Amino acid sequence: MAIVVNKPLPEFEANATGGLKVSNTSHLGQILVLYFYPKDNTPGCTTEAMQFRDKYKDFVKAGAAVFGVSRDNMKSHDDFKEKLELPFELIADTEEKMCHMFGVVKNKIMYGKKVKGIERSTFLIGPDGLLVQEWRGLKVPGHVDEVLKTVKSLKALKKAA
């Protein structure tokens, strides 16, 4: 089942660092930011993780939980998280269930070979469990600021309601 903006997320459950389980209902009442990235310890992914880390307090203040998602295993995630001192958890989607559900697995050309890879994407889920916004095939510079701005505007809308 594919995800659709302004619709609830399909059922899923995934394991994250810190022994957490994340599901389509685990963060109801809270804004949820899920960012999908290709691989731990690669230049773009490291930069993106550090930018989410550096703005993490602002996300929390705006009422959001942040999770990074990749196909890496839990050991890789634990090492990556420790190395970069990430204050948020990382989801190990080793079976690509979430990656396929969110439609982020794409064919890429690497070194002249076709490979399946993760398209850098971010999804914003509202406190009601509805997908609010998605950013696909994004570039790292400026992206975290854009997501934070959207989270803050969502929080402002919630207050006004």
Side-chain angles (χ1 to χ4, degrees), residues 79-93:
D79 294 346
F80 189 53
K81 187 175 182 251
E82 186 180 334
K83 180 178 160 187
L84 297 181
E85 298 177 3
L86 301 178
F88 52 86
E89 305 302 334
L90 301 174
I91 295 172
D93 189 29

Side-chain angles (χ1 to χ4, degrees), residues 14-30:
N15 293 319
T17 51
L20 283 184
K21 282 215 182 294
V22 180
S23 73
N24 54 307
T25 57
S26 62
H27 289 77
L28 287 177
Q30 192 175 26

Side-chain angles (χ1 to χ4, degrees), residues 41-52:
N41 294 305
T42 56
C45 300
T46 298
T47 300
E48 185 178 26
M50 288 174 11
Q51 289 177 359
F52 272 111

